[in-house]
mmCIF file of all heavy atoms in Angstrom:
data_model
loop_
_atom_site.group_PDB
_atom_site.id
_atom_site.type_symbol
_atom_site.label_atom_id
_atom_site.label_comp_id
_atom_site.label_asym_id
_atom_site.label_seq_id
_atom_site.Cartn_x
_atom_site.Cartn_y
_atom_site.Cartn_z
ATOM 1 N N PRO A 1 18.637 5.641 10.696
ATOM 2 C CA PRO A 1 18.747 7.087 10.911
ATOM 3 C C PRO A 1 17.573 7.878 10.407
ATOM 4 O O PRO A 1 17.607 9.035 10.521
ATOM 5 C CB PRO A 1 20.120 7.348 10.038
ATOM 6 C CG PRO A 1 20.078 6.373 9.011
ATOM 7 C CD PRO A 1 19.497 5.133 9.600
ATOM 8 N N ILE A 2 16.625 7.245 9.775
ATOM 9 C CA ILE A 2 15.360 7.788 9.349
ATOM 10 C C ILE A 2 14.221 7.092 9.961
ATOM 11 O O ILE A 2 14.424 5.982 10.416
ATOM 12 C CB ILE A 2 15.259 7.955 7.776
ATOM 13 C CG1 ILE A 2 15.346 6.558 7.189
ATOM 14 C CG2 ILE A 2 16.351 8.832 7.306
ATOM 15 C CD1 ILE A 2 15.125 6.367 5.758
ATOM 16 N N SER A 3 13.022 7.632 9.849
ATOM 17 C CA SER A 3 11.842 6.961 10.383
ATOM 18 C C SER A 3 10.872 6.657 9.274
ATOM 19 O O SER A 3 11.037 6.998 8.151
ATOM 20 C CB SER A 3 11.109 7.844 11.358
ATOM 21 O OG SER A 3 10.518 9.018 10.657
ATOM 22 N N TYR A 4 9.893 5.878 9.651
ATOM 23 C CA TYR A 4 8.784 5.498 8.613
ATOM 24 C C TYR A 4 8.169 6.741 8.092
ATOM 25 O O TYR A 4 7.888 6.817 6.933
ATOM 26 C CB TYR A 4 7.760 4.650 9.307
ATOM 27 C CG TYR A 4 6.512 4.416 8.425
ATOM 28 C CD1 TYR A 4 6.467 3.536 7.308
ATOM 29 C CD2 TYR A 4 5.434 5.307 8.591
ATOM 30 C CE1 TYR A 4 5.409 3.444 6.522
ATOM 31 C CE2 TYR A 4 4.279 5.138 7.835
ATOM 32 C CZ TYR A 4 4.288 4.302 6.767
ATOM 33 O OH TYR A 4 3.191 4.150 5.978
ATOM 34 N N ASN A 5 7.925 7.766 8.883
ATOM 35 C CA ASN A 5 7.330 8.948 8.398
ATOM 36 C C ASN A 5 8.127 9.780 7.403
ATOM 37 O O ASN A 5 7.525 10.408 6.571
ATOM 38 C CB ASN A 5 6.994 9.991 9.699
ATOM 39 C CG ASN A 5 5.948 9.439 10.573
ATOM 40 O OD1 ASN A 5 5.039 8.745 10.054
ATOM 41 N ND2 ASN A 5 5.968 9.703 11.861
ATOM 42 N N ASP A 6 9.445 9.596 7.454
ATOM 43 C CA ASP A 6 10.344 10.217 6.464
ATOM 44 C C ASP A 6 10.071 9.547 5.048
ATOM 45 O O ASP A 6 10.127 10.213 4.089
ATOM 46 C CB ASP A 6 11.769 10.108 6.823
ATOM 47 C CG ASP A 6 12.189 10.858 8.130
ATOM 48 O OD1 ASP A 6 11.596 11.916 8.308
ATOM 49 O OD2 ASP A 6 12.976 10.364 8.871
ATOM 50 N N LEU A 7 9.776 8.336 5.108
ATOM 51 C CA LEU A 7 9.609 7.580 3.844
ATOM 52 C C LEU A 7 8.150 7.537 3.359
ATOM 53 O O LEU A 7 7.903 7.135 2.240
ATOM 54 C CB LEU A 7 10.152 6.149 3.982
ATOM 55 C CG LEU A 7 11.628 5.881 4.010
ATOM 56 C CD1 LEU A 7 11.980 4.470 4.085
ATOM 57 C CD2 LEU A 7 12.318 6.551 2.897
ATOM 58 N N GLU A 8 7.210 7.827 4.250
ATOM 59 C CA GLU A 8 5.814 7.467 3.933
ATOM 60 C C GLU A 8 5.378 8.216 2.533
ATOM 61 O O GLU A 8 4.781 7.493 1.762
ATOM 62 C CB GLU A 8 4.897 8.002 5.027
ATOM 63 C CG GLU A 8 3.513 7.461 5.020
ATOM 64 C CD GLU A 8 2.593 8.264 4.025
ATOM 65 O OE1 GLU A 8 2.902 9.454 3.782
ATOM 66 O OE2 GLU A 8 1.767 7.536 3.439
ATOM 67 N N PRO A 9 5.763 9.463 2.298
ATOM 68 C CA PRO A 9 5.321 9.984 0.981
ATOM 69 C C PRO A 9 5.854 9.226 -0.170
ATOM 70 O O PRO A 9 5.131 9.053 -1.150
ATOM 71 C CB PRO A 9 5.802 11.413 1.076
ATOM 72 C CG PRO A 9 5.947 11.756 2.466
ATOM 73 C CD PRO A 9 6.349 10.460 3.092
ATOM 74 N N TYR A 10 7.103 8.680 -0.071
ATOM 75 C CA TYR A 10 7.646 7.960 -1.144
ATOM 76 C C TYR A 10 7.084 6.684 -1.281
ATOM 77 O O TYR A 10 7.081 6.073 -2.424
ATOM 78 C CB TYR A 10 9.240 7.938 -0.879
ATOM 79 C CG TYR A 10 9.839 9.285 -0.807
ATOM 80 C CD1 TYR A 10 10.100 9.885 0.444
ATOM 81 C CD2 TYR A 10 9.953 10.102 -1.921
ATOM 82 C CE1 TYR A 10 10.682 10.995 0.564
ATOM 83 C CE2 TYR A 10 10.570 11.376 -1.841
ATOM 84 C CZ TYR A 10 10.862 11.884 -0.525
ATOM 85 O OH TYR A 10 11.347 13.128 -0.444
ATOM 86 N N TYR A 11 6.623 5.994 -0.201
ATOM 87 C CA TYR A 11 5.847 4.698 -0.360
ATOM 88 C C TYR A 11 4.578 5.039 -1.309
ATOM 89 O O TYR A 11 4.301 4.159 -2.087
ATOM 90 C CB TYR A 11 5.396 4.305 1.043
ATOM 91 C CG TYR A 11 6.384 3.405 1.820
ATOM 92 C CD1 TYR A 11 6.917 3.757 2.985
ATOM 93 C CD2 TYR A 11 6.822 2.253 1.254
ATOM 94 C CE1 TYR A 11 7.650 2.906 3.689
ATOM 95 C CE2 TYR A 11 7.718 1.428 1.944
ATOM 96 C CZ TYR A 11 8.233 1.716 3.099
ATOM 97 O OH TYR A 11 9.052 0.926 3.751
ATOM 98 N N GLY A 12 3.930 6.004 -1.004
ATOM 99 C CA GLY A 12 2.716 6.415 -1.807
ATOM 100 C C GLY A 12 3.026 6.552 -3.219
ATOM 101 O O GLY A 12 2.342 6.072 -4.099
ATOM 102 N N LEU A 13 4.218 7.186 -3.502
ATOM 103 C CA LEU A 13 4.490 7.396 -4.865
ATOM 104 C C LEU A 13 4.912 6.106 -5.556
ATOM 105 O O LEU A 13 4.595 5.840 -6.751
ATOM 106 C CB LEU A 13 5.702 8.407 -5.030
ATOM 107 C CG LEU A 13 6.312 8.758 -6.323
ATOM 108 C CD1 LEU A 13 5.223 9.375 -7.324
ATOM 109 C CD2 LEU A 13 7.499 9.641 -6.229
ATOM 110 N N ALA A 14 5.733 5.280 -4.835
ATOM 111 C CA ALA A 14 6.149 3.951 -5.386
ATOM 112 C C ALA A 14 4.886 3.108 -5.665
ATOM 113 O O ALA A 14 4.901 2.376 -6.670
ATOM 114 C CB ALA A 14 7.068 3.288 -4.403
ATOM 115 N N GLU A 15 3.905 3.169 -4.787
ATOM 116 C CA GLU A 15 2.664 2.427 -4.993
ATOM 117 C C GLU A 15 1.947 2.861 -6.275
ATOM 118 O O GLU A 15 1.443 2.007 -6.998
ATOM 119 C CB GLU A 15 1.760 2.492 -3.817
ATOM 120 C CG GLU A 15 2.210 1.755 -2.718
ATOM 121 C CD GLU A 15 1.472 2.055 -1.306
ATOM 122 O OE1 GLU A 15 0.650 3.017 -1.333
ATOM 123 O OE2 GLU A 15 1.609 1.199 -0.370
ATOM 124 N N GLN A 16 2.060 4.106 -6.633
ATOM 125 C CA GLN A 16 1.414 4.583 -7.874
ATOM 126 C C GLN A 16 2.208 4.097 -9.018
ATOM 127 O O GLN A 16 1.685 3.559 -9.994
ATOM 128 C CB GLN A 16 1.392 6.048 -7.942
ATOM 129 C CG GLN A 16 0.466 6.716 -6.908
ATOM 130 C CD GLN A 16 0.502 8.276 -7.032
ATOM 131 O OE1 GLN A 16 0.758 8.796 -8.057
ATOM 132 N NE2 GLN A 16 0.388 8.880 -5.832
ATOM 133 N N TRP A 17 3.590 4.169 -8.999
ATOM 134 C CA TRP A 17 4.370 3.814 -10.077
ATOM 135 C C TRP A 17 4.341 2.270 -10.365
ATOM 136 O O TRP A 17 4.365 1.845 -11.525
ATOM 137 C CB TRP A 17 5.967 4.137 -9.777
ATOM 138 C CG TRP A 17 6.152 5.568 -9.940
ATOM 139 C CD1 TRP A 17 5.280 6.647 -10.286
ATOM 140 C CD2 TRP A 17 7.462 6.305 -9.764
ATOM 141 N NE1 TRP A 17 5.829 7.911 -10.287
ATOM 142 C CE2 TRP A 17 7.185 7.638 -10.035
ATOM 143 C CE3 TRP A 17 8.686 5.830 -9.462
ATOM 144 C CZ2 TRP A 17 8.255 8.637 -9.933
ATOM 145 C CZ3 TRP A 17 9.757 6.732 -9.349
ATOM 146 C CH2 TRP A 17 9.447 8.149 -9.622
ATOM 147 N N TYR A 18 4.188 1.578 -9.281
ATOM 148 C CA TYR A 18 4.254 0.023 -9.412
ATOM 149 C C TYR A 18 2.827 -0.568 -9.355
ATOM 150 O O TYR A 18 2.640 -1.768 -9.020
ATOM 151 C CB TYR A 18 5.254 -0.527 -8.366
ATOM 152 C CG TYR A 18 6.632 -0.393 -8.710
ATOM 153 C CD1 TYR A 18 7.366 0.729 -8.547
ATOM 154 C CD2 TYR A 18 7.286 -1.456 -9.396
ATOM 155 C CE1 TYR A 18 8.655 0.881 -8.878
ATOM 156 C CE2 TYR A 18 8.611 -1.269 -9.843
ATOM 157 C CZ TYR A 18 9.273 -0.074 -9.513
ATOM 158 O OH TYR A 18 10.600 -0.012 -9.957
ATOM 159 N N LEU A 19 1.779 0.196 -9.594
ATOM 160 C CA LEU A 19 0.446 -0.258 -9.841
ATOM 161 C C LEU A 19 -0.113 -1.136 -8.652
ATOM 162 O O LEU A 19 -0.675 -2.178 -8.869
ATOM 163 C CB LEU A 19 0.341 -1.037 -11.111
ATOM 164 C CG LEU A 19 1.039 -0.333 -12.357
ATOM 165 C CD1 LEU A 19 1.015 -1.322 -13.536
ATOM 166 C CD2 LEU A 19 0.413 0.931 -12.692
ATOM 167 N N ALA A 20 0.127 -0.686 -7.406
ATOM 168 C CA ALA A 20 -0.266 -1.441 -6.284
ATOM 169 C C ALA A 20 -1.847 -1.645 -6.124
ATOM 170 O O ALA A 20 -2.505 -0.588 -6.184
ATOM 171 C CB ALA A 20 0.321 -0.865 -4.949
ATOM 172 N N HIS A 21 -2.232 -2.807 -5.961
ATOM 173 C CA HIS A 21 -3.583 -3.134 -5.673
ATOM 174 C C HIS A 21 -3.748 -3.613 -4.186
ATOM 175 O O HIS A 21 -2.960 -4.574 -3.808
ATOM 176 C CB HIS A 21 -4.111 -4.287 -6.548
ATOM 177 C CG HIS A 21 -4.125 -3.949 -8.059
ATOM 178 N ND1 HIS A 21 -2.981 -3.723 -8.779
ATOM 179 C CD2 HIS A 21 -5.150 -3.867 -8.861
ATOM 180 C CE1 HIS A 21 -3.329 -3.398 -10.045
ATOM 181 N NE2 HIS A 21 -4.717 -3.634 -10.145
ATOM 182 N N GLY A 22 -4.613 -2.938 -3.448
ATOM 183 C CA GLY A 22 -4.716 -3.303 -2.058
ATOM 184 C C GLY A 22 -5.881 -2.616 -1.450
ATOM 185 O O GLY A 22 -6.591 -1.909 -1.991
ATOM 186 N N GLU A 23 -6.098 -2.891 -0.142
ATOM 187 C CA GLU A 23 -7.190 -2.273 0.646
ATOM 188 C C GLU A 23 -6.609 -1.888 2.016
ATOM 189 O O GLU A 23 -6.057 -2.770 2.758
ATOM 190 C CB GLU A 23 -8.341 -3.257 0.747
ATOM 191 C CG GLU A 23 -9.534 -2.653 1.560
ATOM 192 C CD GLU A 23 -10.662 -3.602 1.680
ATOM 193 O OE1 GLU A 23 -10.576 -4.718 1.060
ATOM 194 O OE2 GLU A 23 -11.751 -3.214 2.043
ATOM 195 N N ALA A 24 -6.604 -0.707 2.390
ATOM 196 C CA ALA A 24 -6.101 -0.267 3.696
ATOM 197 C C ALA A 24 -7.077 -0.470 4.837
ATOM 198 O O ALA A 24 -8.295 -0.584 4.625
ATOM 199 C CB ALA A 24 -5.681 1.218 3.572
ATOM 200 N N GLY A 25 -6.598 -0.489 6.026
ATOM 201 C CA GLY A 25 -7.469 -0.426 7.216
ATOM 202 C C GLY A 25 -7.885 -1.804 7.707
ATOM 203 O O GLY A 25 -8.773 -1.920 8.596
ATOM 204 N N ILE A 26 -7.319 -2.908 7.221
ATOM 205 C CA ILE A 26 -7.759 -4.241 7.627
ATOM 206 C C ILE A 26 -6.535 -4.962 8.504
ATOM 207 O O ILE A 26 -6.794 -5.427 9.550
ATOM 208 C CB ILE A 26 -8.147 -5.091 6.492
ATOM 209 C CG1 ILE A 26 -9.269 -4.451 5.710
ATOM 210 C CG2 ILE A 26 -8.488 -6.504 7.013
ATOM 211 C CD1 ILE A 26 -9.575 -5.274 4.455
ATOM 212 N N ASP A 27 -5.388 -4.753 8.060
ATOM 213 C CA ASP A 27 -4.285 -5.399 8.762
ATOM 214 C C ASP A 27 -3.993 -4.525 9.987
ATOM 215 O O ASP A 27 -3.758 -3.249 9.920
ATOM 216 C CB ASP A 27 -3.080 -5.347 7.914
ATOM 217 C CG ASP A 27 -1.761 -5.700 8.621
ATOM 218 O OD1 ASP A 27 -1.903 -6.297 9.617
ATOM 219 O OD2 ASP A 27 -0.687 -5.315 8.095
ATOM 220 N N PRO A 28 -4.036 -5.123 11.242
ATOM 221 C CA PRO A 28 -3.904 -4.435 12.467
ATOM 222 C C PRO A 28 -2.380 -3.741 12.681
ATOM 223 O O PRO A 28 -2.289 -2.801 13.451
ATOM 224 C CB PRO A 28 -4.134 -5.358 13.615
ATOM 225 C CG PRO A 28 -3.995 -6.789 12.946
ATOM 226 C CD PRO A 28 -4.322 -6.541 11.571
ATOM 227 N N THR A 29 -1.498 -4.281 11.945
ATOM 228 C CA THR A 29 -0.189 -3.776 12.035
ATOM 229 C C THR A 29 0.200 -2.671 10.975
ATOM 230 O O THR A 29 1.299 -2.065 10.909
ATOM 231 C CB THR A 29 0.896 -4.918 11.859
ATOM 232 O OG1 THR A 29 0.967 -5.264 10.504
ATOM 233 C CG2 THR A 29 0.552 -6.028 12.794
ATOM 234 N N GLU A 30 -0.795 -2.340 10.080
ATOM 235 C CA GLU A 30 -0.491 -1.474 9.048
ATOM 236 C C GLU A 30 -0.068 -0.039 9.565
ATOM 237 O O GLU A 30 -0.825 0.475 10.405
ATOM 238 C CB GLU A 30 -1.736 -1.376 8.107
ATOM 239 C CG GLU A 30 -1.535 -0.513 6.875
ATOM 240 C CD GLU A 30 -2.788 -0.420 6.041
ATOM 241 O OE1 GLU A 30 -3.898 -0.272 6.557
ATOM 242 O OE2 GLU A 30 -2.676 -0.537 4.835
ATOM 243 N N PRO A 31 0.992 0.542 9.077
ATOM 244 C CA PRO A 31 1.315 1.829 9.366
ATOM 245 C C PRO A 31 0.398 2.883 8.769
ATOM 246 O O PRO A 31 -0.337 2.611 7.873
ATOM 247 C CB PRO A 31 2.768 2.001 8.863
ATOM 248 C CG PRO A 31 2.740 1.109 7.670
ATOM 249 C CD PRO A 31 1.821 -0.005 7.999
ATOM 250 N N PRO A 32 0.380 4.221 9.220
ATOM 251 C CA PRO A 32 -0.426 5.165 8.781
ATOM 252 C C PRO A 32 0.057 5.585 7.337
ATOM 253 O O PRO A 32 1.142 5.422 6.928
ATOM 254 C CB PRO A 32 -0.229 6.369 9.657
ATOM 255 C CG PRO A 32 1.147 6.035 10.484
ATOM 256 C CD PRO A 32 1.226 4.557 10.483
ATOM 257 N N ARG A 33 -0.973 5.983 6.602
ATOM 258 C CA ARG A 33 -0.717 6.224 5.207
ATOM 259 C C ARG A 33 -1.446 7.497 4.777
ATOM 260 O O ARG A 33 -2.511 7.812 5.285
ATOM 261 C CB ARG A 33 -1.021 5.108 4.283
ATOM 262 C CG ARG A 33 -2.424 4.564 4.487
ATOM 263 C CD ARG A 33 -2.634 3.269 3.622
ATOM 264 N NE ARG A 33 -2.371 3.390 2.261
ATOM 265 C CZ ARG A 33 -1.592 2.639 1.560
ATOM 266 N NH1 ARG A 33 -0.985 1.530 2.162
ATOM 267 N NH2 ARG A 33 -1.367 2.813 0.265
ATOM 268 N N SER A 34 -0.920 8.398 3.952
ATOM 269 C CA SER A 34 -1.555 9.565 3.521
ATOM 270 C C SER A 34 -2.187 9.408 2.208
ATOM 271 O O SER A 34 -3.046 10.430 1.804
ATOM 272 C CB SER A 34 -0.478 10.636 3.413
ATOM 273 O OG SER A 34 0.580 10.335 2.380
ATOM 274 N N THR A 35 -2.056 8.359 1.517
ATOM 275 C CA THR A 35 -2.752 8.164 0.254
ATOM 276 C C THR A 35 -3.410 6.733 0.166
ATOM 277 O O THR A 35 -2.766 5.787 0.728
ATOM 278 C CB THR A 35 -1.805 8.321 -0.972
ATOM 279 O OG1 THR A 35 -0.654 7.417 -0.712
ATOM 280 C CG2 THR A 35 -1.291 9.774 -1.057
ATOM 281 N N PRO A 36 -4.365 6.611 -0.489
ATOM 282 C CA PRO A 36 -4.960 5.169 -0.657
ATOM 283 C C PRO A 36 -4.286 4.426 -1.734
ATOM 284 O O PRO A 36 -3.434 4.935 -2.418
ATOM 285 C CB PRO A 36 -6.441 5.492 -1.213
ATOM 286 C CG PRO A 36 -6.309 6.774 -1.947
ATOM 287 C CD PRO A 36 -5.239 7.573 -1.190
ATOM 288 N N TYR A 37 -4.472 3.036 -1.660
ATOM 289 C CA TYR A 37 -3.956 2.335 -2.798
ATOM 290 C C TYR A 37 -4.493 2.766 -4.169
ATOM 291 O O TYR A 37 -5.693 3.154 -4.273
ATOM 292 C CB TYR A 37 -4.255 0.828 -2.571
ATOM 293 C CG TYR A 37 -3.483 0.053 -1.596
ATOM 294 C CD1 TYR A 37 -3.974 -0.173 -0.396
ATOM 295 C CD2 TYR A 37 -2.119 -0.300 -1.906
ATOM 296 C CE1 TYR A 37 -3.222 -0.857 0.603
ATOM 297 C CE2 TYR A 37 -1.417 -0.985 -0.947
ATOM 298 C CZ TYR A 37 -1.946 -1.217 0.287
ATOM 299 O OH TYR A 37 -1.146 -1.895 1.192
ATOM 300 N N PRO A 38 -3.664 2.818 -5.201
ATOM 301 C CA PRO A 38 -4.082 3.252 -6.444
ATOM 302 C C PRO A 38 -5.207 2.412 -7.105
ATOM 303 O O PRO A 38 -6.153 2.882 -7.847
ATOM 304 C CB PRO A 38 -2.940 3.296 -7.389
ATOM 305 C CG PRO A 38 -1.704 3.141 -6.426
ATOM 306 C CD PRO A 38 -2.271 2.570 -5.226
ATOM 307 N N PHE A 39 -5.194 1.125 -6.821
ATOM 308 C CA PHE A 39 -6.164 0.191 -7.344
ATOM 309 C C PHE A 39 -6.768 -0.777 -6.217
ATOM 310 O O PHE A 39 -6.125 -0.978 -5.290
ATOM 311 C CB PHE A 39 -5.505 -0.753 -8.341
ATOM 312 C CG PHE A 39 -4.924 0.108 -9.546
ATOM 313 C CD1 PHE A 39 -3.592 0.418 -9.650
ATOM 314 C CD2 PHE A 39 -5.779 0.474 -10.604
ATOM 315 C CE1 PHE A 39 -3.017 1.136 -10.670
ATOM 316 C CE2 PHE A 39 -5.281 1.255 -11.706
ATOM 317 C CZ PHE A 39 -3.852 1.532 -11.730
ATOM 318 N N PRO A 40 -8.018 -1.177 -6.507
ATOM 319 C CA PRO A 40 -8.610 -2.124 -5.495
ATOM 320 C C PRO A 40 -7.875 -3.443 -5.473
ATOM 321 O O PRO A 40 -7.109 -3.799 -6.403
ATOM 322 C CB PRO A 40 -10.092 -2.245 -6.051
ATOM 323 C CG PRO A 40 -9.955 -1.987 -7.464
ATOM 324 C CD PRO A 40 -8.916 -0.876 -7.590
ATOM 325 N N PRO A 41 -8.022 -4.255 -4.492
ATOM 326 C CA PRO A 41 -7.324 -5.497 -4.406
ATOM 327 C C PRO A 41 -7.693 -6.578 -5.573
ATOM 328 O O PRO A 41 -8.808 -6.415 -6.085
ATOM 329 C CB PRO A 41 -7.743 -6.065 -3.005
ATOM 330 C CG PRO A 41 -8.932 -5.403 -2.598
ATOM 331 C CD PRO A 41 -8.989 -4.049 -3.242
ATOM 332 N N VAL A 42 -6.754 -7.265 -5.864
ATOM 333 C CA VAL A 42 -7.006 -8.438 -6.894
ATOM 334 C C VAL A 42 -7.906 -9.409 -6.187
ATOM 335 O O VAL A 42 -7.761 -9.801 -4.992
ATOM 336 C CB VAL A 42 -5.695 -9.104 -7.186
ATOM 337 C CG1 VAL A 42 -5.935 -10.266 -8.163
ATOM 338 C CG2 VAL A 42 -4.719 -8.070 -7.899
ATOM 339 N N PRO A 43 -9.033 -9.687 -6.805
ATOM 340 C CA PRO A 43 -10.065 -10.582 -6.236
ATOM 341 C C PRO A 43 -9.423 -11.999 -5.849
ATOM 342 O O PRO A 43 -8.634 -12.473 -6.535
ATOM 343 C CB PRO A 43 -11.073 -10.810 -7.374
ATOM 344 C CG PRO A 43 -10.882 -9.644 -8.267
ATOM 345 C CD PRO A 43 -9.447 -9.262 -8.238
ATOM 346 N N HIS A 44 -9.984 -12.551 -4.749
ATOM 347 C CA HIS A 44 -9.536 -13.894 -4.382
ATOM 348 C C HIS A 44 -10.257 -15.025 -5.064
ATOM 349 O O HIS A 44 -11.382 -14.878 -5.422
ATOM 350 C CB HIS A 44 -9.864 -14.075 -2.793
ATOM 351 C CG HIS A 44 -9.206 -13.093 -1.889
ATOM 352 N ND1 HIS A 44 -7.776 -12.776 -2.013
ATOM 353 C CD2 HIS A 44 -9.714 -12.252 -0.909
ATOM 354 C CE1 HIS A 44 -7.652 -11.790 -1.056
ATOM 355 N NE2 HIS A 44 -8.755 -11.505 -0.407
ATOM 356 N N ASP A 45 -9.507 -16.001 -5.399
ATOM 357 C CA ASP A 45 -10.243 -17.211 -5.942
ATOM 358 C C ASP A 45 -11.071 -17.852 -4.745
ATOM 359 O O ASP A 45 -10.833 -17.681 -3.633
ATOM 360 C CB ASP A 45 -9.157 -18.217 -6.461
ATOM 361 C CG ASP A 45 -8.607 -17.788 -7.783
ATOM 362 O OD1 ASP A 45 -9.275 -16.953 -8.520
ATOM 363 O OD2 ASP A 45 -7.485 -18.106 -8.101
ATOM 364 N N PRO A 46 -12.110 -18.650 -5.168
ATOM 365 C CA PRO A 46 -12.923 -19.144 -4.123
ATOM 366 C C PRO A 46 -12.327 -19.818 -3.012
ATOM 367 O O PRO A 46 -12.620 -19.680 -1.794
ATOM 368 C CB PRO A 46 -13.865 -20.108 -4.980
ATOM 369 C CG PRO A 46 -13.935 -19.541 -6.349
ATOM 370 C CD PRO A 46 -12.459 -18.999 -6.537
ATOM 371 N N TYR A 47 -11.373 -20.669 -3.268
ATOM 372 C CA TYR A 47 -10.657 -21.371 -2.200
ATOM 373 C C TYR A 47 -9.986 -20.530 -1.294
ATOM 374 O O TYR A 47 -10.013 -20.575 -0.035
ATOM 375 C CB TYR A 47 -9.693 -22.473 -2.774
ATOM 376 C CG TYR A 47 -9.161 -23.466 -1.784
ATOM 377 C CD1 TYR A 47 -9.671 -24.725 -1.698
ATOM 378 C CD2 TYR A 47 -8.082 -23.133 -0.968
ATOM 379 C CE1 TYR A 47 -9.179 -25.650 -0.869
ATOM 380 C CE2 TYR A 47 -7.591 -23.992 -0.029
ATOM 381 C CZ TYR A 47 -8.171 -25.236 0.031
ATOM 382 O OH TYR A 47 -7.636 -26.190 0.933
ATOM 383 N N MET A 48 -9.279 -19.499 -1.827
ATOM 384 C CA MET A 48 -8.564 -18.481 -0.932
ATOM 385 C C MET A 48 -9.562 -17.668 -0.130
ATOM 386 O O MET A 48 -9.314 -17.315 1.025
ATOM 387 C CB MET A 48 -7.714 -17.586 -1.839
ATOM 388 C CG MET A 48 -6.622 -18.439 -2.572
ATOM 389 S SD MET A 48 -5.599 -19.459 -1.509
ATOM 390 C CE MET A 48 -4.847 -18.178 -0.456
#
């Protein structure tokens, strides 16, 4: 009964509260977002 756009601001708030590390704009299925990730992505180990 609601859309992604209805929840989008709250996703951004939850990412702040839960210390989300990530990088936007790479995943082709990623939905639009109004705020960046609060922290940069966790570095990959060499094998990964």
Side-chain angles (χ1 to χ4, degrees):
I2 58 174
S3 69
Y4 168 81
N5 288 332
D6 294 323
L7 287 185
E8 197 283 328
Y10 302 101
Y11 272 124
L13 180 60
E15 287 170 348
Q16 293 179 32
W17 286 2
Y18 283 85
L19 313 176
H21 294 64
E23 182 178 6
I26 299 177
D27 173 22
T29 73
E30 184 180 45
R33 53 190 305 131
S34 59
T35 54
Y37 281 104
F39 299 97
V42 175
H44 302 308
D45 286 337
Y47 192 98
M48 300 305 297

